[in-house]
Amino acid sequence: MTKLLIDDAGWLQSTEVIRSPNFDARPDNTQIKLIVVHGISLPPGEYGGGHIQEFFCNNLDAGAHSYFESICELTVSAHCLIERSGNVIQFVSFLDRAWHAGASEWCGETACNDFSVGIELEGSDDQAYAEPQYRGLANLVAALRSRYPAIDAEAIAGHCDIAPARKTDPGPAFDWARLNRLLVG
Ligand SMILES: [Zn+2]
């Protein structure tokens, strides 16, 4: 797989970009030191409709599905989405703060959005993620660690790990051992 490169402005090179308005500046002097893995599908359990992209850009049509009514007013984002095909889309520069984690805590520090990169996998808690997504994620994690060395080998967590009372994603279907094998190999 082609090595991913991240430019000085915090954008992946040769990668699809859809800019989300849902971001702001990280606090001054914040080091990027954590990767948060999420799972999302819209509507839940359905893939490929383009609704995640619409959601992150505040363009979700509330009338298109009953579930959308309950979420269409939210302003959220992630830095990247990895589709079932393994295709990566970037929404927010890594230098900026995407709005993916909410109230959260990692290693005693709260507000994980401040210092993390949020990566959404298109998926569901209880359905196997696709092989190309693991390869795409491993590739992306390698690029992020190389560009932002404060992200050490332990600094990757599920949304469920940093907000356990509220969140279950990426869920039991996400195979951490498989990701780790790809990262080592
Ligand atoms: Zn999440």
Side-chain angles (χ1 to χ4, degrees):
M1 191 174 270
T2 323
K3 197 171 176 223
L4 288 172
L5 293 173
I6 299 169
D7 70 18
D8 289 346
W11 293 94
L12 290 161
Q13 297 301 282
S14 310
T15 297
E16 182 178 358
V17 169
I18 301 175
R19 286 178 185 258
S20 167
N22 302 331
F23 71 90
D24 55 10
R26 295 182 188 275
D28 288 346
N29 305 314
T30 301
Q31 279 201 314
I32 300 168
K33 59 186 178 187
L34 173 66
I35 295 168
V36 179
V37 178
H38 301 260
I40 188 173
S41 51
L42 291 177
E46 292 182 29
Y47 306 138
H51 300 301
I52 302 166
Q53 293 88 320
E54 294 167 357
F55 185 42
F56 289 168
C57 294
N58 307 332
N59 289 327
L60 197 59
D61 176 4
H65 189 278
S66 56
Y67 181 73
F68 296 170
E69 262 171 59
S70 63
I71 61 167
C72 68
E73 297 298 321
L74 301 175
T75 47
V76 299
S77 63
H79 291 94
C80 295
L81 167 68
I82 305 179
E83 297 181 292
R84 302 296 290 183
S85 64
N87 182 52
V88 177
I89 303 168
Q90 186 170 4
F91 295 87
V92 173
S93 163
F94 299 122
L95 301 186
D96 285 321
R97 177 169 61 183
W99 302 343
H100 56 96
S104 51
E105 181 174 343
W106 180 72
C107 290
E109 286 189 71
T110 57
C112 296
N113 282 344
D114 290 356
F115 53 85
S116 69
V117 168
I119 301 173
E120 296 273 4
L121 303 179
E122 185 177 28
S124 309
D125 283 8
D126 50 5
Q127 271 180 33
Y129 288 85
E131 170 60 26
Q133 293 182 295
Y134 285 99
R135 280 187 273 120
L137 178 57
N139 207 16
L140 184 48
V141 167
L144 287 164
R145 285 179 178 166
S146 159
R147 195 73 171 86
Y148 308 112
I151 304 173
D152 69 32
E154 310 298 311
I156 181 163
H159 200 186
C160 54
D161 301 315
I162 62 168
R166 297 187 303 115
K167 295 293 178 179
T168 58
D169 64 302
F174 185 76
D175 187 345
W176 288 97
R178 186 175 190 171
L179 174 65
N180 287 329
R181 282 196 300 277
L182 289 170
L183 288 171
V184 171

